[in-house]
Amino acid sequence: MSSDADKHECSCGKGLTRRQFLTSAGAGALIVTASGHLGKDQEASAAVIKSGEETKITLLINGKQFQMLVEPRWSLLYVLREELGFTATKEGCGRGECGACTVLIDGMPRYACMTLAVEAEGVEITTVEGLMKGEDLGPVQKAFVEHDAFQCGYCTPGQIMAVEGLLRKEPDPTVGQIRQGVSGNLCRCGAYPHIIDAARRAAEMKKSGAL
Amino acid sequence: MTPGFSYRRAASIKDAVTGISEGNGRILAGGTDLLGCLRDSVFTTNMVVSITGIKELKRIDETPGGGLSIGALATITEISESPVIRERYPALAQAAAEVASPQLRNQGTIGGNLCQKPRCWYYRGEFHCLRKGGDRCYAVAGENHYHCIFGGNGCYIVHPSDTAPALIVYGAEATIAGPAGMRKVSLENFFVPPAKEVTKETVLEAGEIVTAIVLPPPLAGLKSSYRKIRSRQSWDFALAGVALALRTSNGRVTDARIVLSGAAPVPWRLVDAENALIGKVPDPDSAKYTAALSVKDAQPLKHNAYKIPLFKGLIEEEVVNISQA
Ligand SMILES: Cc1cc2nc3c(=O)[nH]c(=O)nc-3n(C[C@@H](O)[C@@H](O)[C@H](O)COP(=O)(O)OP(=O)(O)OC[C@H]3O[C@@H](n4cnc5c(N)ncnc54)[C@H](O)[C@@H]3O)c2cc1C
Ligand code: SF4
Ligand code: FES
Ligand code: FES
């Protein structure tokens, strides 16, 4: 490829590239520019929370504000379950591999196990509890019940949040999009066919405004 | 529970650089790789420096020359869905869409994707191997089904990033900020092969962070794609992946780039195969020839020779597909 941008880093072995030039000039292989130091306007520095020390944070969960003390290492999942009692959100792997801990952050599905609580300030957090319409189940929850979209139920809150997040972005998903949407949520019981039916049904219910 | 660390929320790039320069600080972006590494004791840190509050790192901007600058904090989802990237750098959008799961794409950033640690299971497990400063590689005589077939030298990891090969076919550069100022490094030279230094994955020096990835303007008429093969339907790292870019004039190839994922400890560019395509009509015959040439230097381990026909088939198919696209 011979765009201008490539010329200086061409590794085709033809001619003297900028990289080779710098190397042969003894400037260190990769230092291309030393274009000024970082701006003075960026001098502001931040407070440090020491390891083991607790700091006060405010989380916005299901439309309500919660203030609490947290250690830097605590995950959002730990705080939701152990500090605040939102126990619908489950811990499976703690490694970003299973999806049991899926919550919505600003409407998008994310893993609470891979999010630090101190990083979750200033965003809107939604858990399964937040999908309830008063005492009634929300449409995605209802569709999961209607379609028997679970066996042991361990993965279900995470599946529901993944589907909720998908439908907020794509109100009328294809089966392919649904498969994609729940591809980060493992179900050991193999309830996938029912989960996909439930997601379709939830889309219909949401569209018709029915609960 | 994750081992304890102090936490600093950087207010600026300079603050982040200062923060990680002290002690053994680590940058936190999306955290999808960092938290896993800390929990598995792949490494330890006394200071996590969060860069998520630095707004300028989130921008995706067109550059004056017609290229694109992607801030290090742009999420993988934002990259896969960006209309500009889909139109002008389709291989990058396709690669981003193939990364991990929807949740991890919403959370993971491009900077973190390029700086993530390898997935070798000995390395992620409790083995003090060469890459961790130990005295041997456990994979070479062990379970090496998912290890490299090119470029292994003491260590046999494959580079885990899907986006890196796609960025390399477009000649992208990383912008790096550090204690001494800013510098730029072509992404092709950003990753460190084990032959050079076995305990390092990137050229980043102490105190340095990636601030942006800059793509040059796309060549007129360039066709490009990324395709990934994994061992299961749900999320998984690449068993084999290929980023390809071709340009033809009067039916003959004038420019070619082929960069593999899942093949080597760094994104693996196939310069010989690229050169072999130049001047050819990209038909099934030249695709076959290119594919055979692509794997001729492969050095499989005991359990991963299956990758050779896999890459061969993939490259052959992709050359044909792209020329018909
Ligand atoms: C289950 C699972 C599946 C995955 N599958 C894939 C896959 O298929 N393909 C793929 O490509 N990836 C995959 N990943 C890796 C995924 O973590 C990355 O893709 C993600 O983009 C990392 O970004 P992050 O912002 O979360 O990084 P972080 O975890 O925040 O950071 C990762 C590393 O990079 C450093 N870092 C982060 N930002 C910067 C910066 N700006 N400058 C310098 N250093 C920095 C951190 O210190 C850390 O060491 C997977 C991860 C998991 C857990
Ligand atoms: S392949 Fe590399 S990371 Fe894996 S055990 Fe060997 S030296 Fe360690
Ligand atoms: S517990 Fe978070 S993904 Fe498994
Ligand atoms: S219903 Fe049991 S894991 Fe999904």
Side-chain angles (χ1 to χ4, degrees):
Chain A
M1 214 139 304
S2 58
S3 78
D4 286 342
D6 287 337
K7 271 184 197 135
H8 52 257
E9 289 292 1
C10 159
S11 60
C12 58
K14 294 178 204 118
L16 188 67
T17 66
R18 181 164 65 166
R19 178 162 49 97
Q20 288 159 341
F21 169 75
L22 286 170
T23 311
S24 58
L30 298 156
I31 298 167
V32 175
T33 60
S35 60
H37 289 254
L38 293 158
K40 281 264 184 297
D41 52 329
Q42 296 179 341
E43 212 91 22
S45 101
V48 171
I49 310 167
K50 292 236 167 65
S51 177
E53 232 171 54
E54 295 188 356
T55 189
K56 188 155 101 184
I57 62 165
T58 305
L59 296 182
L60 180 61
I61 305 163
N62 303 330
K64 289 203 195 85
Q65 292 206 332
F66 296 84
Q67 282 202 340
M68 77 214 74
L69 292 169
V70 300
E71 280 188 42
R73 65 181 172 144
W74 288 0
S75 69
L76 175 61
L77 176 62
Y78 175 81
V79 167
L80 284 173
R81 287 182 56 84
E82 310 299 330
E83 299 287 305
L84 297 172
F86 289 103
T87 51
T89 311
K90 297 286 184 272
E91 167 147 30
C93 63
R95 296 285 184 284
E97 295 174 1
C98 75
C101 66
T102 303
V103 297
L104 301 188
I105 293 196
D106 288 338
M108 276 187 288
R110 285 178 52 157
Y111 294 144
C113 73
M114 300 307 264
T115 305
L116 293 180
V118 284
E119 289 275 306
E121 273 196 297
V123 296
E124 223 174 274
I125 301 158
T126 311
T127 69
V128 175
E129 290 91 341
L131 301 185
M132 298 293 290
K133 306 270 178 195
E135 295 288 295
D136 292 330
L137 298 178
V140 181
Q141 293 162 298
K142 259 198 166 147
F144 268 67
V145 176
E146 265 182 31
H147 283 268
D148 275 333
F150 48 84
Q151 286 176 36
C152 77
Y154 198 79
C155 72
T156 312
Q159 303 280 3
I160 289 177
M161 295 319 286
V163 170
E164 177 72 28
L166 171 70
L167 296 181
R168 288 189 188 189
K169 188 164 167 182
E170 179 52 67
D172 196 12
T174 62
V175 169
Q177 285 171 320
I178 296 170
R179 284 219 179 90
Q180 261 293 317
V182 297
S183 62
N185 295 76
L186 304 188
C187 175
R188 267 190 263 166
C189 305
Y192 294 111
H194 292 243
I195 292 171
I196 288 164
D197 292 345
R200 280 294 326 149
R201 174 80 187 117
E204 284 161 24
M205 285 201 270
K206 279 196 171 218
K207 259 196 300 189
S208 69
L211 290 183
Chain B
M1 180 60 77
T2 320
F5 48 76
S6 299
Y7 169 87
R8 173 172 180 149
R9 195 164 167 79
S12 64
I13 293 171
K14 166 145 192 187
D15 193 29
V17 166
T18 312
I20 48 163
S21 303
E22 293 163 6
N24 63 347
R26 297 277 176 172
I27 292 291
L28 173 83
T32 61
D33 183 53
L34 182 70
L35 296 183
C37 286
L38 293 177
R39 281 175 200 153
D40 289 337
S41 306
V42 171
F43 51 75
T44 56
T45 182
N46 55 13
M47 172 68 75
V48 166
V49 179
S50 165
I51 56 173
T52 58
I54 308 174
K55 288 213 178 64
E56 63 189 278
L57 297 182
K58 295 184 183 169
R59 301 173 61 104
I60 300 183
D61 289 320
E62 296 189 37
T63 60
L68 197 70
S69 169
I70 304 176
L73 286 179
T75 65
I76 304 299
T77 298
E78 282 160 0
I79 289 169
S80 71
E81 291 177 355
S82 153
V84 183
I85 297 175
R86 288 169 85 137
E87 192 201 316
R88 295 197 214 152
Y89 308 98
L92 177 58
Q94 288 159 14
E98 293 281 346
V99 170
S101 64
Q103 289 91 332
L104 290 166
R105 291 193 290 275
N106 288 340
Q107 188 162 350
T109 65
I110 188 73
N113 191 270
L114 298 174
C115 299
Q116 62 176 301
K117 293 290 178 184
R119 287 278 158 178
C120 165
W121 41 38
Y122 297 102
Y123 176 80
R124 293 269 166 169
E126 287 165 9
F127 293 84
H128 192 63
C129 70
L130 218 52
R131 185 163 288 278
K132 286 185 187 158
D135 63 2
R136 70 173 120 153
C137 169
Y138 294 88
V140 68
E143 298 290 322
N144 47 40
H145 304 69
Y146 302 116
H147 287 72
C148 69
I149 57 168
F150 295 110
N153 193 318
C155 169
Y156 300 86
I157 57 163
V158 291
H159 197 273
S161 168
D162 285 307
T163 62
L167 286 164
I168 291 171
V169 298
Y170 297 117
E173 276 185 342
T175 309
I176 296 168
M182 309 283 287
R183 62 176 178 135
K184 286 187 174 178
V185 175
S186 150
L187 263 201
E188 199 178 335
N189 300 321
F190 180 77
F191 301 99
V192 178
K196 214 166 180 183
E197 211 176 331
V198 76
T199 53
K200 260 186 106 165
E201 291 82 32
T202 71
V203 300
L204 293 180
E205 299 291 345
E208 285 192 321
I209 69 168
V210 175
T211 58
I213 308 299
V214 182
L215 287 152
L219 292 182
L222 187 76
K223 290 180 180 173
S224 52
S225 66
Y226 179 76
R227 195 160 140 222
K228 169 176 175 178
I229 311 256
R230 50 183 131 208
S231 62
R232 48 180 204 178
Q233 288 254 304
S234 58
W235 67 266
D236 213 344
F237 290 89
L239 278 186
V242 58
L244 184 65
L246 277 192
R247 185 156 77 147
T248 53
S249 169
N250 298 324
R252 293 189 183 267
V253 176
T254 56
D255 304 89
R257 280 255 175 125
I258 310 174
V259 185
L260 307 181
S261 56
V266 295
W268 196 248
R269 188 168 164 204
L270 296 167
V271 179
D272 287 351
E274 291 172 3
N275 289 338
L277 264 176
I278 307 287
K280 301 260 170 33
V281 178
D283 57 14
D285 281 347
S286 56
K288 200 171 188 135
Y289 177 73
T290 306
L293 195 60
S294 295
V295 296
K296 84 173 179 344
D297 296 329
Q299 291 184 309
L301 301 163
K302 187 163 179 212
H303 301 294
N304 69 359
Y306 70 92
K307 284 195 177 188
I308 295 177
L310 196 60
F311 272 111
K312 206 170 149 194
L314 186 61
I315 293 166
E316 187 175 336
E317 266 180 45
E318 282 302 283
V319 171
V320 172
N321 286 346
I322 203 170
S323 49
Q324 291 170 353

